[in-house]
Amino acid sequence: MAMNLTNEIEYTTLRLQKEAQKYLVPEQLSVLEIALEISFSCLKDISSFTNSFYLQSLKVTLDLAKLRLEIPYLLSAILYYPIRSKALSFQHIENLHKSIVNIIRNLLELHKFEINRWNAENVQKRREKKTTGKVERKKGFWKKQTDEATIRAILRVANDTKVALIMILERLYILKYSESHLDPSILLGMAEETLVVHAIIAEILGIWFVKWQLDDMAFKIIDREMYTKISRELDEGRTEREKIIQNVIWGIKNDLEKVGVMAIKITGRPKHIYGLYRKIKEQHLSIQEINDNLAIRIIVESERECYEVLSILLDFFEYTEEIYDGKPYRDWIEKPKPNGYQSIHTTVYYPISQDDIRLLEIQIRTEEMHEKAEYGIAAHWVYRMAGNTLKRQRKYHRDIQDVDIVNVRKAFEAHLDLHKGKNNK
C-alpha cells in the first residue's frame, strides 16, 4: 500500500539517518540532525517550501549518503530548497560547515540555468521549432549538438561535479513527484532531455543506479504503455536478477581459478527497463529473449590471458555462433574498432539451474583496454553523444576533457571502492 506524504517523509528520514551512521562520525551526525531540524522547521514558515519539496530534498540526500558523499554535500542538499524558497538565509546556516554556502550558491546558479531552459517562453519557442520542422528530431526536442552544450554547461556552472550530481538527482525526483502539477508538455520535454543530458552525466560519472532510475523514470513519462508492458513481463525483480548475476560471477571466477587464471575483476549488471527497450529495438528480439540474457565483463592482466580465458570458456560451455556471423566470438583485440575499442566478445549457454539455461554475453579485456573503453574515445557515452564518426568522437572527447570528466569519474570510482571495501570488512 502506498504511503502518504507524511509517512514517506518519516520513513525516508529514518533511512537517511541509518545510511549516514554507516560512515559519518558522531560530530557530523549531530550537524546532520541540526540541518534536518532547520529544514523541517521551514515547512510551517513559507508556503513555497512544501512537504513535496522537503521529501525531494530527503530523497536526494539519501542517495548522496548511499554514494558516501562528504557531509557538506549532504547538508547542502537538505538546506538548498529552504534557501531557494527564501525560508532561510545563508546567515542561518553558514556556521554549520564552511563549504555549504558555496555549494548552495552553485546549486542556485544551476537552478537559474534550469529555469531559463524551462520557462514558458523558451518552451513555446522549442515547440514552434519542433512543429515547423526547423529542429532535427533525433532524440525528442534536442539535437545532439544542443545536448553536448547542455552537458558541458551544467558541469561548468556546477563548478564541482558532486554539485552536478545533486542537480541530476533533483531532476529524478522532479520527474517522480511533479507529474500532477507540471504542464504535460513541459514534463514530456524534461523527460526527453533527461534521457540525453542528465542520464548521460550519470553515465559519464559511472553512477549506474542513478542513471538507471533517470532512464526508467523518463521512459515511463515518454511511453507509459511500453514501459508498463515491459515491466509486467519482467518475471524477476531487480533484486533477484542481481543475485543471479552475482552467482554467475562467482561461478565463472571459480572456474577460471581452477585452471590457474586469476581475473583482476569480473563485473556484471542486470538490465533496466529502458535498457531492455533499446535492445528490443536494436536487436528485434522479444522482451523475454532480451531479459533472459545475462552479461558480464572479465578484466585480466595481459592480452595473452584474454585469449586464455576465451579458450577456457569455450571449452567449459556450449557457445552460440548466431550472434557473431557463424563464429564463436568476435575479436576486437586483433582488429580494434576505428575508435580504438578493444575487447573479445563471446556468448555462451550458462546453466543457472538444471532447468534454466541462459545466454551469457561475456566481454574479455585488459585493464588498459578497459580504461580506453570507459574513459577514452571508445567510451559508450562518447559514442552515444558524438555518433559513430571518429572525427566527432575525438572532438567530443577533447571538449569533455575541459571539465576534467575522466579524473572525476576515476575519483568517484575510487571513492566508492574505498567505502565498499570498508563496508565489507
Side-chain angles (χ1 to χ4, degrees), residues 21 151 225:
Q21 286 166 8
I151 288 170
E225 185 179 344

Side-chain angles (χ1 to χ4, degrees), residues 353-415:
S353 67
Q354 190 172 354
D355 302 318
D356 187 1
I357 310 296
R358 304 199 190 183
L359 284 176
L360 173 63
E361 303 168 30
I362 304 170
Q363 297 176 1
I364 310 163
R365 60 177 72 148
T366 65
E367 276 194 299
E368 184 181 351
M369 294 169 192
H370 182 64
E371 179 135 331
K372 188 181 290 183
E374 290 294 298
Y375 312 120
I377 64 167
H380 182 61
W381 48 270
V382 174
Y383 176 82
R384 283 206 34 205
M385 293 306 301
N388 58 6
T389 304
L390 187 57
K391 184 178 178 182
R392 288 211 67 219
Q393 289 177 12
R394 283 175 173 154
K395 180 184 182 301
Y396 182 69
H397 192 252
R398 284 196 303 271
D399 290 344
I400 210 72
Q401 281 180 319
D402 292 345
V403 287
D404 203 21
I405 284 298
V406 170
N407 287 332
V408 168
R409 166 85 178 260
K410 288 179 180 178
F412 254 114
E413 289 177 345
H415 172 81

Side-chain angles (χ1 to χ4, degrees), residues 418 420-425:
L418 173 67
K420 197 181 294 180
K422 286 179 179 177
N423 291 339
N424 290 337
K425 286 182 180 178

